Amino acid sequence: MSERWDIFCRVVDNFGDVGVSWRLARQVSREHGKRVRLWLDDLTVFAKLRPEVDPACDAHTVDGVEVRRLREPFTVDEVADVVVETFGCDPPEAYVERMAEREPRPRWINLEYLSAEDWVEGSHALPSPNPRLPLVKHYFFPGFTAKTGGLLREESLLRRRDEFQSDPGAQAAFWKSLTGKAPPENALKISLFTYAGAPVESLARSCRQYPGPVWLIAPEGTAAAYLRSRLTPAHDTIRRNDHSSGRRREVEVFNTPFLPQTRYDLLLWACDVNFVRGEDSFVRAQWAARPFVWHVYPTADNAHYVKLAAFLARYTEGLDRAHAAAVSGMWEAWNRRDDPPAPEGMRPGIADCWPAFMARREALAAHARYWCDRLAARPDLAAALVDFTNKLLK
Ligand code: TRH
């Protein structure tokens, strides 16, 4: 019988916890043949990613994975060979007690949050003996370097991406299904997925300077709600006559429904620039190999600025100084709460950073491809984790 894996996920907020846990469960089942149960304490989030799921039901089988509601008090039927808790969510107490009684002891993994900070390499794969029970938990850190657990990347992902990005028909069909029409030939297509406080309006305003049509696509969420509050409902156009060229400059804004997870990848692949957030969309934007801007999950202690700087230092490596400054400037302006115009000496805002970012679009597109290929040369996280748990047996 193939190994049984139990993966536990408790939703803190938003979609990422489930987004990451589901991708891992699906990949460990499909590509590594494990019998996987994914335990979620909130199935409504999962139903947003997989609309065919009825969140009122406690048990589902999706793509070969058993998806079960994590309900406390938890009734333990069977303890798995490998137990993964995501983001320090702690498996149910009753389950941990049974883990300690099981022979052989299960291998216990805590899948941590993604960070580009240097300390991650030193913490990756470290064991932590349980103070009370004869159990050892290992910390497994995703990351951008060889000394980390890598990133989630399913086997077929980059092949499917290349097929889609080289197929104008598939892209036109996607756009028609999403917006009811295909974008104008030379339209700049931008996807928007942000937290509250992102200077979305400044971006929309700055897009009016772009010498051609702009499509801003905001799936249901913070950015969409903000744009809707500032503009009219689902679809609107900010027009401006460019007297100098006599051409009409149009920024069309589309508030689309929240997309099923697999279709969200198509949006990232079809756009020219992607604004993403958190963790999972952040990684998917890198696999899309298109220029992107990251809205980091804000924390009260401002630690997210350290995370932002750590990733920017890695990402802009190999970029010439001016290009690197354009990327860092745009990302820092995007992560700054509400976007005051820059008084003297202050750091520039979106109105300055966006044109600088766009002026280097080709170079940044080449860099996005180079960065993606560099990451893709390393083992993906699911394969690294399976390999790690096999080594724990020895
Ligand atoms: O939703 P998030 O903000 O999740 C966050 C992060 O995980 C963060 O690390 C964590 O600390 C915080 O939650 C609690 O952003 P993230 O990680 O990008 O996850 C979004 C998921 O939603 C991702 O799997 C992509 C998916 N998605 C869709 O499936 N359809 C859509 O239309 C959109 C916009 C996103």
Side-chain angles (χ1 to χ4, degrees):
M1 284 291 277
S2 67
E3 254 177 17
R4 174 173 284 291
W5 284 46
D6 273 331
I7 301 177
F8 291 94
C9 172
R10 298 179 198 270
V11 178
V12 177
D13 59 8
N14 305 317
F15 307 96
D17 307 327
V18 176
V20 167
S21 310
W22 166 242
R23 286 194 202 286
L24 176 66
R26 189 164 172 273
Q27 208 181 338
V28 168
S29 164
R30 284 185 144 197
E31 296 177 20
H32 301 277
K34 311 298 182 188
R35 292 177 299 144
V36 181
R37 291 189 302 191
L38 175 60
W39 298 91
L40 301 173
D41 66 349
D42 181 347
L43 289 169
T44 59
V45 174
F46 185 57
K48 292 283 280 186
L49 306 179
R50 296 297 298 244
E52 74 271 29
V53 161
D54 173 359
C57 302
D58 285 358
H60 309 263
T61 299
V62 186
D63 296 353
V65 174
E66 271 185 67
V67 181
R68 310 274 292 274
R69 187 185 308 283
L70 172 52
R71 199 192 288 282
E72 307 265 11
F74 188 83
T75 312
V76 186
D77 53 1
E78 180 193 5
V79 171
D81 304 293
V82 174
V83 178
V84 179
E85 60 173 286
T86 58
F87 313 122
C89 74
D90 292 331
E93 200 43 47
Y95 188 96
V96 176
E97 299 291 340
R98 288 280 300 279
M99 287 167 67
E101 296 156 11
R102 186 183 186 276
E103 280 306 332
R105 298 270 188 280
R107 283 148 284 158
W108 187 358
I109 304 290
N110 176 20
L111 177 67
E112 275 289 351
Y113 284 111
L114 171 65
S115 174
E117 293 161 273
D118 292 340
W119 60 264
V120 166
E121 292 188 342
S123 304
H124 176 56
L126 286 185
S128 161
N130 185 280
R132 195 169 54 81
L133 297 165
L135 291 168
V136 176
K137 180 193 302 189
H138 284 85
Y139 286 82
F140 198 88
F141 282 83
F144 302 94
T145 67
K147 293 192 188 127
T148 69
L151 301 171
L152 284 169
R153 181 188 74 245
E154 60 271 23
E155 213 161 40
S156 64
L157 179 67
L158 303 185
R159 176 178 51 72
R160 288 184 291 114
R161 176 204 65 194
D162 290 343
E163 281 166 9
F164 180 82
Q165 289 183 336
S166 56
D167 181 346
Q171 292 173 47
F174 169 73
W175 285 120
K176 285 221 177 71
S177 67
L178 187 68
T179 67
K181 61 181 179 176
E185 187 60 30
N186 59 349
L188 172 70
K189 303 172 289 295
I190 302 170
S191 75
L192 271 179
F193 182 45
T194 76
Y195 295 115
V200 174
E201 192 177 354
S202 311
L203 177 71
R205 259 203 317 271
S206 305
C207 283
R208 291 190 302 191
Q209 317 306 328
Y210 183 76
V214 176
W215 274 27
L216 275 178
I217 302 98
E220 193 45 47
T222 318
Y226 183 84
L227 284 167
R228 207 174 29 251
S229 69
R230 314 295 294 179
L231 301 164
T232 50
H235 168 211
D236 197 340
T237 303
I238 315 169
R239 286 193 180 79
R240 190 172 76 83
N241 287 337
D242 179 337
H243 299 300
S244 58
S245 66
R247 270 181 308 147
R248 286 170 70 76
R249 299 234 176 128
E250 292 195 350
V251 179
E252 283 195 73
V253 178
F254 297 91
N255 289 342
T256 74
F258 191 87
L259 301 167
Q261 206 184 35
T262 46
R263 274 177 65 75
Y264 180 61
D265 276 325
L266 300 184
L267 178 65
L268 297 175
W269 301 347
C271 282
D272 304 297
V273 181
N274 293 306
F275 286 75
V276 291
R277 73 184 206 189
E279 179 162 334
D280 191 58
S281 62
F282 167 53
V283 172
R284 302 309 278 190
Q286 296 173 59
W287 296 135
R290 293 280 161 84
F292 70 103
V293 178
W294 182 31
H295 202 209
V296 190
Y297 183 72
T299 50
D301 59 3
N302 281 340
H304 56 292
Y305 289 123
V306 177
K307 262 184 111 167
L308 178 71
F311 180 78
L312 273 173
R314 292 188 191 284
Y315 186 71
T316 58
E317 214 180 298
L319 264 182
D320 85 15
R321 189 185 289 276
H323 295 337
V327 172
S328 306
M330 179 62 198
W331 287 33
E332 282 153 12
W334 191 246
N335 283 276
R336 205 170 317 135
R337 285 210 160 279
D338 54 52
D339 171 51
E344 208 45 47
M346 265 288 281
R347 288 165 303 166
I350 295 294
D352 309 300
C353 296
W354 178 244
F357 188 87
M358 287 314 303
R360 293 170 175 78
R361 202 173 118 208
E362 262 146 60
L364 299 183
H367 181 69
R369 174 66 63 163
Y370 155 79
W371 174 259
C372 175
D373 294 347
R374 224 177 83 175
L375 294 177
R378 288 202 198 93
D380 69 85
L381 184 144
L385 181 55
V386 168
D387 185 47
F388 179 74
T389 56
N390 290 344
K391 288 199 175 93
L392 288 177
L393 276 179
K394 304 213 173 81

